[in-house]
Amino acid sequence: MQPHHVIVGHGGLVMGNPGDRPYPADPVSAPKFDERLKDVRVGIIDTGISQGADSDHSDWFGGRYAKEADDVDPAYSSGDNFALQGGHGTFVAGVIQNAAPGVTFDPEVGLDPNGFGDEEQLCRKITELGKKKINLLNLSLGCFTEDDIASEPLRRTIEALPADIVVVASAGNQGTQRPSWPAALCRVTAVAAAQQERDGSIGPAFYSNWGHWVDACAIGNRASTYLKGEWQLPGEAAATPFALWAEWYGTSFAAPLVTGRIAATMVSDGIGAAQARDKLLSGPELHPGYGVFVK
């Protein structure tokens, strides 16, 4: 028997997570739309999508997902103040769109605005998306287990997905080799974070989890779509205002880059999701413990 596990979003300095908080960023130009990508469907289980995502970021999200009330990220703790991971799902969706501009996505709420969820809710959402004929599933979240053995509900749920769905998950931001679940499952492509060094070379990000169970890595520091409002840690003297864009780092944002690259490879090469994933994972730049670097 196992305890019931709490699932945590892998974005930033939240409840001891040694990534970093979001910072305001300048607007990012929308990538060129690829008409072929509208037939690729990506499931995103996260904090959901912001209420006005399709209008606030129309060039990024307009017409690319179905607006459903239960997919909305509550985002705010009070007034215009963001919860600790409010907007996390909107940020992740933007990273995927930047890597695969025009892809269709289905956002689902598996985490609350503070970045917490539980495996029962996560398993339910994974099962729901598995019935919607998605090609890819992005999970920028995870948990440890007491004995470092896989969460059995997560393992069974992901194994039950149709074989042609590729699941991508973030490795976590604790800087440890401990396996994070579901990333460490055999069925899942686990993504660590990399960073660019001062000499221009690519190396492991200091905060990223790593180990034999990691398959790929990508730059974790990204600018992406965000919300309007203010972000403030408890105890800070002043809040930081945001105007729809943010810069954030964590394995949460390396994973959707890989998800998007898989989608883009599917249409450029005319192949399925699993073949596209395997092509990316055969890349030449391997970092032991962090996997193949994906640009």
Side-chain angles (χ1 to χ4, degrees), residues 149-225:
I149 294 175
S151 158
E152 193 63 12
L154 283 175
R155 185 190 69 79
R156 292 185 181 187
T157 301
I158 289 176
E159 285 297 324
L161 287 171
D164 57 351
I165 296 176
V166 168
V167 183
V168 179
S170 50
N173 301 334
Q174 291 81 15
T176 178
Q177 293 187 67
R178 286 187 68 187
S180 176
W181 311 99
L185 292 170
C186 294
R187 171 74 190 270
V188 177
T189 301
V191 182
Q195 62 188 16
Q196 188 168 35
E197 307 295 350
R198 291 183 179 179
D199 63 2
S201 64
I202 300 298
F206 70 93
Y207 55 84
S208 179
N209 292 351
W210 58 288
H212 66 87
W213 49 277
V214 173
D215 302 294
C217 60
I219 298 296
N221 189 335
R222 304 215 160 264
S224 185
T225 51

Side-chain angles (χ1 to χ4, degrees), residues 9-271:
H10 287 158
L13 181 62
V14 177
M15 305 305 288
N17 225 343
D20 201 5
R21 59 184 292 171
Y23 292 92
D26 293 330
V28 179
S29 298
K32 186 177 180 181
F33 180 88
D34 187 335
E35 183 73 22
R36 300 171 298 173
L37 277 163
K38 69 180 182 181
D39 294 325
V40 178
R41 294 182 59 83
V42 179
I44 305 172
I45 302 178
D46 211 285
T47 60
I49 192 78
S50 63
Q51 178 68 51
D54 59 334
S55 55
D56 290 337
H57 299 286
S58 57
D59 290 344
W60 292 73
F61 299 138
R64 298 181 199 179
Y65 69 99
K67 294 191 72 171
E68 298 178 356
D70 61 353
D71 294 339
V72 172
D73 182 354
Y76 302 92
S77 59
S78 61
D80 291 334
N81 294 317
F82 298 137
L84 290 176
Q85 283 198 37
H88 188 267
T90 303
F91 193 102
V92 165
V95 174
I96 292 173
Q97 283 292 329
N98 200 18
V103 72
T104 299
F105 67 99
D106 189 338
E108 296 286 346
V109 175
L111 300 172
D112 70 18
N114 288 312
F116 293 106
D118 64 73
E119 60 188 348
E120 181 180 358
Q121 166 84 345
L122 178 57
C123 289
R124 184 166 60 250
K125 292 296 183 179
I126 291 172
T127 300
E128 288 177 9
L129 282 173
K131 298 175 181 178
K132 292 186 176 182
K133 297 183 179 180
I134 60 171
N135 303 102
L136 295 154
L137 174 59
N138 189 90
L139 302 172
S140 289
L141 46 76
C143 67
F144 294 129
T145 58
E146 186 176 12
D147 51 10
D148 291 333
I149 294 175
S151 158
E152 193 63 12
L154 283 175
R155 185 190 69 79
R156 292 185 181 187
T157 301
I158 289 176
E159 285 297 324
L161 287 171
D164 57 351
I165 296 176
V166 168
V167 183
V168 179
S170 50
N173 301 334
Q174 291 81 15
T176 178
Q177 293 187 67
R178 286 187 68 187
S180 176
W181 311 99
L185 292 170
C186 294
R187 171 74 190 270
V188 177
T189 301
V191 182
Q195 62 188 16
Q196 188 168 35
E197 307 295 350
R198 291 183 179 179
D199 63 2
S201 64
I202 300 298
F206 70 93
Y207 55 84
S208 179
N209 292 351
W210 58 288
H212 66 87
W213 49 277
V214 173
D215 302 294
C217 60
I219 298 296
N221 189 335
R222 304 215 160 264
S224 185
T225 51
Y226 203 54
L227 319 177
K228 292 179 182 177
E230 296 185 333
W231 202 95
Q232 187 174 14
L233 274 177
E236 284 187 332
T240 302
F242 286 80
L244 297 178
W245 303 93
E247 185 168 353
W248 211 345
Y249 70 80
T251 61
S252 268
F253 316 124
L257 185 281
V258 172
T259 298
R261 291 286 187 250
I262 294 172
T265 302
M266 288 173 64
V267 300
S268 66
D269 291 20
I271 56 179

